[in-house]
Amino acid sequence: MSEQPVPAAGSTGSAVLASPAWVIGGLRNRPGYLVTAEGRVAFTDGEETLFDVPLAEVSGVTYPWYWFGGGFKARIAGKTVKITFVKPNGMPSPDPSALELGLSALGVAAAFQGAGHVGDLAGLAWIAPGRKATAQWREVLPA
C-alpha cells in the first residue's frame, strides 16, 4: 500500500485535492501537504501555512522535464515556489496532522472523507504516487 493523493468532496460539492508534497529550495526544503478546495490552494507543514491563496494568484506553472513528472514550479502570491511530490532523499515524510491543518485552513476539514497516511515510505516507493499527484495537479493549476 502506498500513499496517494486524496480527492474528496468539499462542503459545496467542489473537489478537494490533498497531496503529500515538499517545498524545495536549498536549505528551505519542507515536507507538508498541498491542498486545494473552494478555489484556493494552500501548503502547510503542520506548524506553519506557507501560503493560502486563491488559485488566481498562481501563475507561471511549469513542469520541468528533468523532474520526470514529479512536481512543478510556479509563482504563488508573488513568490517562486518549487513543489515536488516525490520524496527528496533524506527528507522526512509529511506529518499526518499537517493534512488536517491544511484542510482546516481551507475550511473543508469536516467535508474531507478519510485521508489515510502510510508511514515513512522509502526511495522508489514515492515515484509512482508522485507522478500521479503531478498529473492530478495539472488538472487544477492554471496553465
Side-chain angles (χ1 to χ4, degrees):
M1 184 173 167
S2 65
E3 185 164 329
Q4 297 289 324
V6 185
S11 57
T12 61
S14 66
V16 174
L17 179 60
S19 302
W22 291 261
V23 171
I24 57 174
L27 299 175
R28 300 182 345 220
N29 295 347
R30 186 175 292 211
Y33 286 88
L34 187 65
V35 180
T36 187
E38 308 287 333
R40 299 186 67 80
V41 63
F43 183 91
T44 184
D45 65 3
E47 295 178 16
E48 178 183 0
T49 298
L50 300 180
F51 55 83
D52 176 3
V53 299
L55 279 170
E57 290 186 30
V58 178
S59 63
V61 180
T62 61
Y63 301 88
W65 66 267
Y66 48 87
W67 288 8
F68 302 103
F72 66 92
K73 295 180 184 179
R75 293 216 29 100
I76 300 176
K79 296 179 182 176
T80 300
V81 178
K82 299 175 190 176
I83 295 181
T84 182
F85 300 107
V86 177
K87 182 179 178 182
N89 289 335
M91 288 297 299
S93 295
D95 182 341
S97 66
L99 178 59
E100 296 169 24
L101 292 173
L103 294 168
S104 294
L106 292 174
V108 295
F112 194 73
Q113 299 172 3
H117 186 277
V118 174
D120 198 24
L121 297 175
L124 296 175
W126 282 97
I127 294 174
R131 291 184 65 163
K132 182 176 180 180
T134 302
Q136 289 178 311
W137 282 94
R138 278 183 186 261
E139 300 293 321
V140 173
L141 297 172

